Amino acid sequence: MKSLLTGLLICFCLLARAQNLPYQNNVYRHEIKSVEFYNSAKPASFPIINLGSGETVTLGFDDLSGGTRTFNYTLQHCDANWQPSNLTTAEYLESYTDDRIDNYTYSSATYQKYTHYEIKLPNRNIIPKISGNYILRVYEDGDQQKMVLTRRLYVVARKTAISATVQSSNNVALRSTNQKVNFTVDCSGLQVQNPRTEIRILVMQNARPETGLMNTAPTYIRGQQLIYNDVSINDFSGRNEFRHFDTRTLKLNSDRVAKIYKDTANTVMLLGDPSRNLPNYTLYYDNDGKFFIINQDGSDARRDADYAYVYFTLHANKSQAEGTPYIVGQFNDYQLDDRSKLQYDDRGRWYTRLQLKQGVYDYQYIWVDKATKKPDDTLLEGNYFETENEYQMLVYYRPVGSRYEQLIGFGMLNSVKQ
């Protein structure tokens, strides 16, 4: 009886641990900075590769604690909702189940000392065997309870073709603010018995998971084509172009930089940010929320780009009794937490300080109302149909009797360059 209870307790603990495993982009250590994860062909690109193609993704990050540490990594297969698949590791990975990051370099001629780590996947030790969603976990000393960071990886085996367009919303009240995505999926290369149960398509705006809309049923079927154009689906807020600043050099004031101070550390004061919720759209050039680590004064930004304390000031015309603004972008995974939260001063302004590596950064402010606790990324930024946005479309396929969900199609769409 005692052994039975012990066994049940172990099973319960393992189940609880599995349920608490992270399946989203996140950084769990304050000393880990500047996490980049992209298709190796283009920095800041969407982290997707074609299965068995020789393509790779690059993961790079800095450890500001200095020295060297033992960081391991592994992949886990997930379904379209980022729940773990009912597969053993041997069913979705070739070679080993985990590996150590042994490619690192120390910073050179910088105020802030750091160690830069980098890996490429697939490699000779970790190779995805099947298509689908994968969560990449990096952890310390071979212990997955010592989580360092997680990243979402997409491995596609293309069996479908996608065509898509963006138009104004069918809802008359939203036509000046919303962008509606209509698309068609060609399944002529598949044996699909019931598209409504076997196929689903995720549409994201600017690769932001929180904007994702899952399509589980086509509007109608025309031969081997699935049409998704119902008036009520895939209607996105256009939002606004991202704000940005440029610290590629710390020797002179560049775009949006008011002042640079150098002492025992670099300090960058940015120009104040006003609310941009205006009646009409204004064109700004942005990178759709991305960031790029670049050092114009060095030879290799991975090791000679320095860090700076960057000060942001927001004139929101909102008091702390009404709510709180947060600063977000791809650089912090759009996380609303204490690290992205702004503080209120006695002059009615909101401010924060972030330690960021040299480069070009997109960012925006999200307002969280104190009463409703709901985040709003248009209240301070504005919402316009004319905004240039990128849309990602991912086609998932789970045939009858299959134990996992495949990723069989991927498409990109630009709202302006259609």
Side-chain angles (χ1 to χ4, degrees), residues 71 73 99-104 117-119 124-125:
F71 292 128
Y73 64 95
D99 192 23
R100 178 178 175 178
I101 302 177
D102 55 12
N103 180 18
Y104 58 87
Y117 292 83
E118 188 171 295
I119 57 170
R124 62 182 182 180
N125 292 331

Side-chain angles (χ1 to χ4, degrees), residues 260-293:
I260 299 175
Y261 300 94
K262 288 178 176 286
D263 191 2
T264 57
N266 298 303
T267 300
V268 175
M269 309 294 296
L270 297 182
L271 297 173
D273 286 319
S275 171
R276 297 193 301 166
N277 194 352
L278 304 174
N280 298 313
Y281 169 79
T282 302
L283 174 64
Y284 297 94
Y285 292 101
D286 71 352
N287 291 305
D288 298 316
K290 301 169 187 172
F291 73 101
F292 300 84
I293 302 300

Side-chain angles (χ1 to χ4, degrees), residues 86-157:
N86 185 29
L87 299 173
T88 64
T89 309
E91 291 178 286
Y92 60 81
L93 286 183
E94 295 183 25
S95 195
Y96 301 103
T97 59
D98 69 349
D99 192 23
R100 178 178 175 178
I101 302 177
D102 55 12
N103 180 18
Y104 58 87
T105 183
Y106 299 114
S107 59
S108 173
T110 58
Y111 280 113
Q112 174 64 58
K113 302 303 179 185
Y114 59 86
T115 306
H116 178 77
Y117 292 83
E118 188 171 295
I119 57 170
K120 292 184 184 297
L121 288 168
N123 53 47
R124 62 182 182 180
N125 292 331
I126 301 290
I127 305 171
K129 190 184 294 186
I130 59 177
S131 69
N133 289 349
Y134 286 84
I135 195 74
L136 168 63
R137 293 199 189 92
V138 177
Y139 45 95
E140 191 174 6
D141 297 331
D143 184 356
Q144 291 200 32
Q145 296 304 303
K146 297 181 178 179
M147 199 65 64
V148 174
L149 63 90
T150 47
R151 281 296 177 267
R152 289 178 171 182
L153 167 65
Y154 303 84
V155 179
V156 60

Side-chain angles (χ1 to χ4, degrees), residues 77 131-132 157 159 395-399 402 404-408:
H77 194 275
S131 69
K159 300 176 183 178
V395 183
Y396 295 93
Y397 174 49
R398 186 166 187 166
S402 177
Y404 70 95
E405 202 158 15
Q406 306 172 38
L407 178 56
I408 59 168

